Amino acid sequence: MKNTIKMVLAAGLLVYSQHIFSQQNVGIMTDKPMEKLHVSGKSSVLDDNIGTTGVPLISPTIRIDGLNMTNNPTVLSTDTIAPLYVDSNGDTSVKKGLETFGTYTQPGGDAITTATTLNVTATQTYQFTPTLLTASFTLQQRSVVYISSTLSADVLNASGGTITDGKNRAIAALISFTAAPAASGINTTSSYMGDGLTFANRPTDSMNGSFKLSPSSELVLPAGSYTVILRGAGIASSNAPGDNYRIIWGGGTGDKLNILAKPL
């Protein structure tokens, strides 16, 4: 009799263990999991928000302690939320979403408080200002980087008056990288991007040549430390001394050099 009971129990355990090991999916609050891990339950929006973000909590939620604020203090605070990333190995992590690097000028602000005068000699070669604005930033991982700038320029004759000779003169705002990791492929000895225009004026009662240039770009960069600078430049179309002129850089409003990055 005992042997019979043992055989029945052994058979039952064998069937149960086979059921466990044959189960492909695991369910929480569901007995019919549709994926390897299936968390079920009625979704509802709770009255509480996530910190002061104004984003409502959604139930059900999945909590992973390895992704909490204690383990990710540089990413999360009591009032933030962050996107979840998965790498090629399937490992999960939280990263900052939109990040601000370097000196950020808010809309309506002006990053240049003292204007710079560039006296351009008519040599048919570009002449450059010193660095007008600079921004340094470090990427912790491969990221999309947005570079946005505005630089005001007033074009005047060599004496500081209105140009009236009708001859062409070109001005440009240029952004360069002065530091970048080799893996980025960026040339740190030349300008990376620019915005320019050609100016000519003859009437004495016309505009005095006040402009805003905005070299901007978006690019994908690897992890590493970077420095970008903003400069102004000018060139005359002839070698005649009478074609000398001057450019006042940063004398207007809204000058900026902003760097925004989003991890990939």
Side-chain angles (χ1 to χ4, degrees), residues 7-259:
M7 290 179 63
V8 171
L9 289 174
L13 289 173
L14 178 60
V15 171
Y16 181 70
S17 63
Q18 287 178 338
H19 173 74
I20 292 176
F21 287 110
S22 65
Q23 180 70 38
Q24 298 297 311
N25 300 330
V26 176
I28 299 176
M29 296 183 70
T30 177
D31 57 0
K32 295 180 180 180
M34 304 302 294
E35 297 291 346
K36 296 297 183 183
L37 175 61
H38 184 168
V39 180
S40 184
K42 182 179 179 181
S43 298
S44 61
V45 178
L46 304 185
D47 293 335
D48 295 332
N49 289 337
I50 301 174
T52 59
T53 62
V55 178
L57 288 168
I58 305 296
S59 177
T61 59
I62 299 174
R63 176 169 295 183
I64 303 175
D65 287 344
L67 303 179
N68 64 19
M69 184 175 68
T70 300
N71 294 306
N72 297 274
T74 61
V75 177
L76 298 168
S77 71
T78 55
D79 296 331
T80 60
I81 55 177
L84 180 68
Y85 290 84
V86 181
D87 66 14
S88 58
N89 295 318
D91 296 330
T92 59
S93 60
V94 288
K95 302 291 183 183
K96 289 182 179 179
L98 190 63
E99 300 181 14
T100 303
F101 297 100
T103 302
Y104 183 77
T105 303
Q106 297 289 342
D110 190 8
I112 298 179
T113 57
T114 303
T116 297
T117 299
L118 176 65
N119 292 304
V120 181
T121 303
T123 59
Q124 292 183 307
T125 58
Y126 267 105
Q127 289 137 64
F128 303 87
T129 67
T131 298
L132 301 176
L133 291 173
T134 182
S136 297
F137 59 97
T138 299
L139 301 177
Q140 300 300 325
Q141 68 180 83
R142 184 170 175 266
S143 304
V144 178
V145 177
Y146 303 89
I147 301 176
S148 174
S149 70
T150 299
L151 183 58
S152 58
D154 294 294
V155 183
L156 308 168
N157 63 27
S159 301
T162 301
I163 293 176
T164 58
D165 58 13
K167 295 182 179 180
N168 290 329
R169 295 167 175 85
I171 66 172
L174 304 169
I175 289 179
S176 303
F177 283 82
T178 59
S184 68
I186 290 176
N187 186 345
T188 57
T189 62
S190 63
S191 298
Y192 186 83
M193 69 194 79
D195 184 23
L197 58 85
T198 300
F199 174 77
N201 184 66
R202 188 174 297 278
T204 57
D205 59 350
S206 64
M207 62 180 292
N208 63 2
S210 182
F211 304 97
K212 287 186 182 294
L213 303 177
S214 299
S216 301
S217 183
E218 59 183 64
L219 56 160
V220 176
L221 295 176
S225 296
Y226 299 82
T227 299
V228 295
I229 62 172
L230 177 63
R231 296 186 297 165
I235 187 174
S237 61
S238 73
N239 293 320
D243 292 349
N244 295 348
Y245 69 108
R246 68 177 57 173
I247 311 167
I248 310 298
W249 296 102
T253 59
D255 300 299
K256 66 180 181 180
L257 174 58
N258 288 345
I259 310 295

